[in-house]
Amino acid sequence: MTQVAAIGTYLPPWTSGGRRVRGPDEDALTMAVAAGRAADPGAHSRRVILVSRDFPLLEGGNAAVLLAGLSLSGDTPVAEVLGGAPAVLDQLLAAGPDTLVIAADDNVGFAGAAAVLTGGGGPTLTAVDRQTRSLPLVARTNGGSRHAYADPRLQREVGVRDTLALLRLDDDKAVVAMVGAKPDLLAAQLNTSSTVTEVTSSASALIRVLAAVLETNVSGLVVAVEQATVGVVDVATSETPARITRDEADPRELPKTKIAEGIGIPISLPAYARAFEPKIRWEAAIFDERPGIDGAPQFPPRARVDEAGVLAGDYRLEPLPRTGTVYTHTTIRIPVPDLPSPYSIAVVALDDSPVRVLLKVTGVPAGEAAIGQAGSVVLRRIATRTGIPDYGYAFWPGRTQDGIAG
């Protein structure tokens, strides 16, 4: 049995062709961080599980960026699990207290992320049944090739209906949510009159429908379907409700951009290693005051020289504010390699801090930011250099710290 303390969801602010799509500076990892911070803003998690089929890196590691973006220490255990909605159910049921389970999707079917923080005496999840069968109508190899066997009837009748028929479900329990299929495929005697349904099978969809169920304070069965695999849990409400935070700005049409041909700036891994911790953890250096050195935060962290000419390299790191206002800005409209253009950059005066930082603008069309406009600092994939995602922070004008666009 797992207790749900909090749920956080994230949807990118863009649409294309009538569906949500990520921005050019987002990926499964940046969306996972957004959802994780919504669920666990105080960084109390003692373990993190990321479930996805769209990891930015299969080798080289996503965990360090994930932990830094969540403001969790580097000794926090991280598991990267390949899977969809049934896999998310498995991880939730196996999670101990203070575990952050994040599901992220970045594919043609869906873009978004959602997270559950366990513990806290909230609503409970109890395993009911699970069935795993093989019907690979959609298959993707480790080389990246994807095969789709287009037969909706086979998927519906053999992949879903036949698998659902194997489940041992209590007829007295209402089906309150279902992901990956329509509830009319369930046995006729089951109560599906108020089922929250997400037909798209995605990892994050499972947590989104769970949030919808908990918001209505109802108990019952949640069914997760992916091809011919099905998992079922029983959700029970509690006197202590789960805290639910939705980072879901109203979507806008994704602006058109252009990337110039040519070779971009190559990555320097020694420079990457030196800058990683303060850049991704968003921390400034604080020195003990002495003649020639004040206590003002220094970002990026660097050594300083006092009045006696002595090099001071001892400092402590403190988190920087994640909100601020635009001090000045400009827009670059000439296409360059590696960067979708046009794009805006801004000098941002951080709230309650003397620090001003130069950041790329995200979340709004280029040229829309205004001097004095408030917003939030968010993790983004700044560029991909020599095949390696280079993460950093960008400024989202009009977005408050809790993720609601104003």
Side-chain angles (χ1 to χ4, degrees):
M1 183 176 70
T2 299
Q3 294 177 319
V4 178
I7 292 178
T9 67
Y10 172 78
L11 292 177
W14 306 113
T15 61
S16 179
R19 66 179 185 87
R20 292 265 187 168
V21 294
R22 65 168 175 82
D25 55 358
E26 296 183 280
D27 61 15
L29 195 52
T30 64
M31 293 186 286
V33 167
R37 293 191 70 89
D40 185 21
H44 299 303
S45 307
R46 294 187 294 179
R47 184 167 184 256
V48 179
I49 301 170
L50 176 58
V51 183
S52 181
R53 292 197 183 279
D54 309 297
F55 295 106
L57 292 174
L58 298 182
E59 291 185 55
N62 306 293
V65 175
L66 181 64
L67 290 177
L70 294 170
S71 299
L72 295 172
S73 66
D75 60 0
T76 305
V78 178
E80 298 177 25
V81 178
L82 183 68
V88 175
L89 275 189
D90 293 341
Q91 297 306 314
L92 286 172
L93 293 170
D98 300 320
T99 299
L100 187 63
V101 180
I102 309 174
D105 301 287
D106 179 17
N107 52 62
V108 295
F110 188 78
V116 172
L117 179 63
T118 64
T124 59
L125 307 178
T126 305
V128 173
D129 202 358
R130 195 187 200 286
Q131 292 290 332
T132 301
R133 301 170 66 235
S134 180
L135 187 66
L137 292 171
V138 177
R140 182 154 46 113
T141 69
N142 61 358
S145 62
R146 186 177 185 272
H147 172 77
Y149 189 91
D151 192 335
R153 183 176 179 277
L154 181 66
Q155 168 67 33
R156 183 182 66 250
E157 299 299 329
V158 178
V160 180
R161 195 187 295 275
D162 287 358
T163 306
L164 291 172
L166 299 174
L167 298 174
R168 299 172 293 274
L169 304 182
D170 186 349
D171 295 347
D172 295 329
K173 291 276 189 179
V175 178
V176 294
M178 189 166 183
V179 173
K182 295 180 179 180
D184 58 9
L185 296 176
L186 291 164
Q189 66 270 25
L190 291 170
N191 179 5
T192 60
S193 59
S194 301
T195 304
V196 177
T197 305
E198 175 59 71
V199 177
T200 301
S201 183
S202 70
S204 61
L206 185 280
I207 299 177
R208 292 199 312 277
V209 300
L210 178 60
V213 167
L214 296 182
E215 284 176 327
T216 57
N217 198 35
V218 295
S219 299
L221 303 178
V222 175
V223 182
V225 179
E226 185 182 39
Q227 299 205 55
T229 298
V230 180
V232 185
V233 297
D234 186 6
V235 179
T237 59
S238 167
E239 292 183 359
T240 304
R243 179 180 56 81
I244 298 174
T245 304
R246 296 184 181 276
D247 186 349
E248 301 176 359
D250 292 336
R252 307 170 64 175
E253 190 68 19
L254 181 68
K256 294 182 179 180
T257 57
K258 182 178 180 180
I259 300 177
E261 296 182 0
I263 300 174
I265 301 174
I267 194 167
S268 166
L269 285 179
Y272 174 96
R274 287 194 301 270
F276 182 87
E277 287 293 323
K279 182 175 74 168
I280 307 300
R281 291 194 172 277
W282 197 239
E283 295 174 330
I286 306 294
F287 288 82
D288 292 330
E289 294 189 35
R290 57 170 136 168
I293 296 179
D294 58 22
Q298 304 294 310
F299 184 82
R302 54 191 179 275
R304 303 178 69 184
V305 178
D306 64 16
E307 284 187 355
V310 177
L311 184 68
D314 294 331
Y315 53 79
R316 64 185 183 279
L317 292 172
E318 292 188 0
L320 285 167
R322 290 176 181 262
T323 57
T325 56
V326 176
Y327 180 77
T328 188
H329 66 91
T330 191
T331 298
I332 293 87
R333 302 188 182 276
I334 300 175
V336 296
D338 286 350
L339 291 177
S341 302
Y343 64 93
S344 296
I345 55 176
V347 175
V348 177
L350 299 179
D351 291 343
D352 303 316
S353 172
V355 174
R356 293 174 182 167
V357 288
L358 178 64
L359 299 174
K360 190 169 177 280
V361 173
T362 189
V364 298
E368 190 172 290
I371 292 175
Q373 187 175 18
S376 295
V377 177
V378 294
L379 183 71
R380 287 293 184 263
R381 185 187 61 200
I382 302 301
T384 300
R385 307 186 194 280
T386 324
I388 298 174
D390 190 8
Y391 297 94
Y393 284 91
F395 186 71
W396 188 339
R399 181 185 184 276
T400 62
Q401 193 168 17
D402 58 8
I404 301 172

